[in-house]
Amino acid sequence: MKKQWQAILLATVLTAMAMGTATAADASKKATASVSASSSASASASSSASASAKTELMDLNSATKKELATLPKIGDVRSDAIIKGRPYKGKDELLSKKILPEDVYNGIKDLVIAKQKTAAKK
């Protein structure tokens, strides 16, 4: 039963953070007060929070300096270096082009993507 409550609490907090509608503290209070929640609801809430996080990857080829600076361990100097090294065929080019050290890359690799421009149709 305790693990079920922990799962419900975690799913509620993740959902609240993803939606930006409540703070983690408010979400945990609501989860504690909610007695009738089921484990299937927590599983679906957790998967929807995970899915929304995956769809919001930052594109290295189009992100602004300000957007890039919001990534962990990426400030103005590294943002400038990322922009200067564009375009990227893949996010791993941040390592191969020696734009970022490996520890910094490992901290952001799950948050970014390098989208390719498609050729214009004739």
Side-chain angles (χ1 to χ4, degrees):
M1 185 74 170
K2 184 178 179 181
K3 289 189 180 220
Q4 184 179 13
W5 278 109
Q6 289 174 339
I8 292 168
L9 179 61
L10 177 62
T12 305
V13 170
L14 289 173
T15 302
M17 289 172 52
M19 297 173 89
T21 59
T23 64
D26 290 340
S28 64
K29 288 178 186 175
K30 289 177 185 176
T32 305
S34 174
V35 177
S36 63
S38 69
S39 62
S40 63
S42 68
S44 66
S46 177
S47 65
S48 67
S50 174
S52 68
K54 288 181 182 177
T55 59
E56 297 178 19
L57 296 176
M58 187 178 302
D59 181 17
L60 294 171
N61 289 324
S62 65
T64 65
K65 179 178 178 176
K66 187 175 181 179
E67 290 170 334
L68 290 168
T70 64
L71 294 168
K73 297 184 181 180
I74 304 293
D76 290 339
V77 173
R78 287 185 173 149
S79 295
D80 287 337
I82 292 169
I83 291 169
K84 186 177 178 181
R86 288 178 179 167
Y88 298 100
K89 293 179 184 175
K91 60 186 173 184
D92 60 329
E93 286 188 354
L94 292 172
L95 283 176
S96 64
K97 290 183 175 183
K98 298 183 181 181
I99 308 261
L100 297 178
E102 189 170 354
D103 64 321
V104 175
Y105 173 75
N106 288 336
I108 68 163
K109 67 181 178 183
D110 296 330
L111 305 172
V112 297
I113 190 168
K115 293 181 182 177
Q116 304 301 304
K117 291 184 179 179
T118 57
K121 294 181 181 179
K122 293 183 180 181

